[in-house]
Amino acid sequence: QFVLLCLAIFVTFANQALLTPTLPLYVTSLGGSASAAGLALFAFAVPSFLVRPIMGHACDRWGGMLVLAAGAAALAVGGLLYFIPYLGAVFAASVVRGTAWGATSTGGLAVLVTAAPHHRRGEASGYYNSALASASILFPAVALWLIHGHGGFNAVFALSIVFGIAAVPMTLAIRAEREAPVAPAEDATPLPRSVNRGIVLAILLNLAANAR
């Protein structure tokens, strides 16, 4: 089961690694400016960041496996929009894929907790991160090779869609056991329902640091 998770994460991150260097080049090929290319990346990053708490709640309710599979499928659907040669379609695809990326990132970690043996979770996290890092290292170069004389942008988009689709059956084949919820202690202080200002400040500082 853990091997299936690593394979699913590998092809999911391959999907993203193909498009990371491709998107700015594609925007400029459509007549967009460097600023437009940056905004397209921004349109991906913002929903990816914002939906993660929501996806975490979805993982608790329906399981990380379904969230990961749904995110991978949405990555493939978003990739289809890139075949429409208009900047508006690029921005729409970025929003869809950003939301999907938040789902896959959160769902993958949720599945890791239950798919890995209890006594080897540290080792499992190392293999998990190696799988995603290897895809992030390899596939940007593959994307540039395809763009320059081996199929062009459409070949990159098609391959990314294949990777997104491939992750779905791999994920659904995982039979990770869901851990029993831990009963809260009687004297446990309930979490406040209002938004913590410290958390909001930390989010803003994180966004500012990433924007540099």
Side-chain angles (χ1 to χ4, degrees), residues 144-173:
L144 295 176
W145 179 79
L146 289 172
I147 291 171
H148 296 290
H150 299 88
F153 292 111
N154 286 343
V156 177
F157 300 148
L159 184 57
S160 70
I161 291 170
V162 169
F163 283 143
I165 294 173
V168 176
M170 294 178 187
T171 302
L172 295 178

Side-chain angles (χ1 to χ4, degrees), residues 81-133:
L81 295 175
Y82 287 127
F83 286 104
I84 304 174
Y86 295 100
L87 289 177
V90 173
F91 281 95
S94 294
V95 173
V96 172
R97 295 191 68 261
T99 304
W101 188 247
T104 55
S105 300
T106 307
L109 291 173
V111 176
L112 172 64
V113 173
T114 52
H118 291 269
H119 60 288
R120 299 179 65 185
R121 282 181 175 170
E123 180 184 359
S125 66
Y127 287 121
Y128 178 93
N129 284 288
S130 294
L132 63 88

